[in-house]
Amino acid sequence: MNDGGVIVKKGNKDLSDPRSTSDYLRLILTGFAMGAADIVPGVSGGTMAFILGVYVNLVSAIKSFNLDALRLLSALRIRELLDHVSFRFLVALGVGLLLAVVSLAGFLSGVMDDPEGRVLLFAFFFGLVLASILTIGVKVKWDLSAVGIFVAGTLIAFVIVNAVPAEADHSAPYLFISGMIAITAMILPGISGSFMLLILGQYDYVLTAVSERDLPPVIAVGLGAVLGIIAFSRVLSYLLAHHYRMTVALLVGFMTGSLWKIYPWRQCLESDLDRHGDFRCLSDAPVPPEASSESFALAVALLIGGFLLVNLLDHLQAKDNPVFRIFWK
């Protein structure tokens, strides 16, 4: 990509047209990682797409659902239509994402309810996001304007992740709008779609609907998500095509601002009871970890493991990771 004469290096293989078994497997695993991240409030599936090298392909594939696609469909030129919308790419990614949502919704909901489990989960994701900021940030040519955009993105994400969740009705129109907002956030690295659902008062309701296979609310949210992602992908695709460096600086800012929310060790400052009568934390703040706790060593190990995993993947793809190139010639 070129932005004002500045090329941002990307060593990732183009997976928009997968052919081999390894391509499909990688896309399914990438989709699974995106789905797992999107379930957890505070973590973005867009970040996983960015980390694993399919972000630009994903935005382009979503954008391809346009008038040309409708013309091909109306003419029953199905093979050309499937190529036009990167069908194999989207199906492989979607299979992984769906597997994650169906298989992990209940498990991650239980982990989030357990204080120690929450610390361990967020420690791992904190390491992933911290590493992604490093691996993506070093490939941007920083100047005053890029730094300004980065700071703006950081502040925007910080404000969003500190918003207080609302109580809301669960009517179909509101669920539809919530789905549109959540998917817009979901595709942005650093801004969690599930956290947007939490802010809108829909997270517990939708997660329960998915776990219990309650289709009407899931369909309402899904339809909103489809419309939202098709519309927003056009804006994002334009920015990536014409202002890549500044857009990446903004996205790195989003990820940096989100670190506040996924810092593992936190203390609840304000709480209430949700519609089920269960404890719900409305606002919290980071606190120093207790080094004497049983989970501290494991949490630190998971944080470091997540950090090294992303750097390793980046080095295998681009061969110029700033951490691994010191040790790996």
Side-chain angles (χ1 to χ4, degrees), residues 150-164 190-191 195 199 253-262 266 284-286:
F150 165 79
V151 172
T154 301
L155 293 175
I156 291 170
F158 181 83
V159 170
I160 290 174
V161 300
N162 282 282
V164 177
I191 300 181
F195 187 71
I199 292 173
F254 286 160
M255 288 188 285
T256 303
S258 75
L259 286 176
W260 175 270
K261 189 63 181 179
I262 59 174
R266 313 187 68 84
D284 54 19

Side-chain angles (χ1 to χ4, degrees), residues 8-309:
V8 181
K9 293 162 58 181
K10 306 193 302 296
N12 301 320
K13 179 181 179 181
D14 184 0
L15 292 172
S16 60
D17 187 24
R19 296 290 180 178
S20 66
T21 301
S22 62
D23 287 346
Y24 282 106
L25 181 60
R26 178 178 163 185
L27 285 172
I28 290 172
L29 292 176
T30 298
F32 192 90
M34 292 174 61
D38 279 325
I39 295 172
V40 180
V43 185
S44 169
T47 300
M48 296 297 105
F50 221 136
I51 290 170
L52 297 171
V54 301
Y55 190 75
V56 174
N57 294 145
L58 176 61
V59 174
S60 298
I62 296 168
K63 182 194 172 188
S64 67
F65 287 87
N66 52 20
L67 291 177
D68 289 337
L70 287 177
R71 292 190 190 100
L72 291 172
L73 178 62
S74 63
L76 297 180
R77 294 158 63 182
I78 303 302
R79 185 168 183 174
E80 292 178 54
L81 172 64
L82 297 182
D83 289 337
H84 176 75
V85 300
S86 300
F87 180 75
R88 291 187 297 272
F89 168 82
L90 289 174
V91 167
L93 209 62
V95 166
L97 199 151
L98 185 62
L99 284 173
V101 172
V102 172
S103 62
L104 296 180
F107 169 73
L108 289 180
S109 179
V111 170
M112 293 289 290
D113 291 336
D114 175 56
E116 288 196 2
R118 186 185 181 95
V119 168
L120 297 178
L121 182 64
F122 273 70
F124 180 68
F125 277 116
F126 190 91
L128 294 179
V129 176
L130 188 63
S132 68
I133 293 169
L134 172 65
T135 58
I136 297 168
V138 296
K139 297 172 185 176
V140 176
K141 182 177 179 181
W142 295 98
D143 56 17
L144 189 60
S145 58
V147 171
I149 290 292
F150 165 79
V151 172
T154 301
L155 293 175
I156 291 170
F158 181 83
V159 170
I160 290 174
V161 300
N162 282 282
V164 177
E167 285 289 349
D169 71 86
H170 305 297
S171 63
Y174 198 90
L175 286 168
F176 180 86
I177 294 172
S178 297
M180 290 185 63
I181 295 172
I183 199 66
T184 298
M186 198 172 290
I187 200 173
L188 289 173
I191 300 181
S192 166
S194 55
F195 187 71
M196 292 305 299
L197 286 177
L198 189 64
I199 292 173
L200 295 167
Q202 303 292 350
Y203 178 74
D204 290 334
Y205 184 79
V206 173
L207 196 62
T208 300
V210 172
S211 298
E212 297 179 354
R213 312 296 191 267
D214 185 7
L215 292 182
V218 173
I219 292 173
V221 172
L223 290 175
V226 169
L227 180 61
I229 199 170
I230 290 175
F232 183 67
S233 65
R234 279 151 177 74
V235 176
L236 195 53
S237 179
Y238 174 84
L239 293 174
L240 287 169
H242 296 89
H243 306 284
Y244 186 82
R245 181 171 61 92
M246 302 301 287
T247 303
V248 172
L250 179 67
L251 298 180
V252 172
F254 286 160
M255 288 188 285
T256 303
S258 75
L259 286 176
W260 175 270
K261 189 63 181 179
I262 59 174
Y263 174 78
W265 297 279
R266 313 187 68 84
Q267 180 180 28
C268 187
L269 302 177
E270 184 182 357
S271 64
D272 68 356
L273 299 179
D274 64 15
R275 64 190 183 90
H276 301 294
D278 297 326
F279 172 85
R280 181 178 69 160
C281 184
L282 297 176
S283 64
D284 54 19
V287 295
E290 295 183 12
S292 60
S293 66
E294 295 181 1
S295 62
F296 175 75
L298 181 55
V300 171
L302 287 170
L303 192 156
I304 295 173
F307 181 84
L308 292 177
L309 175 62

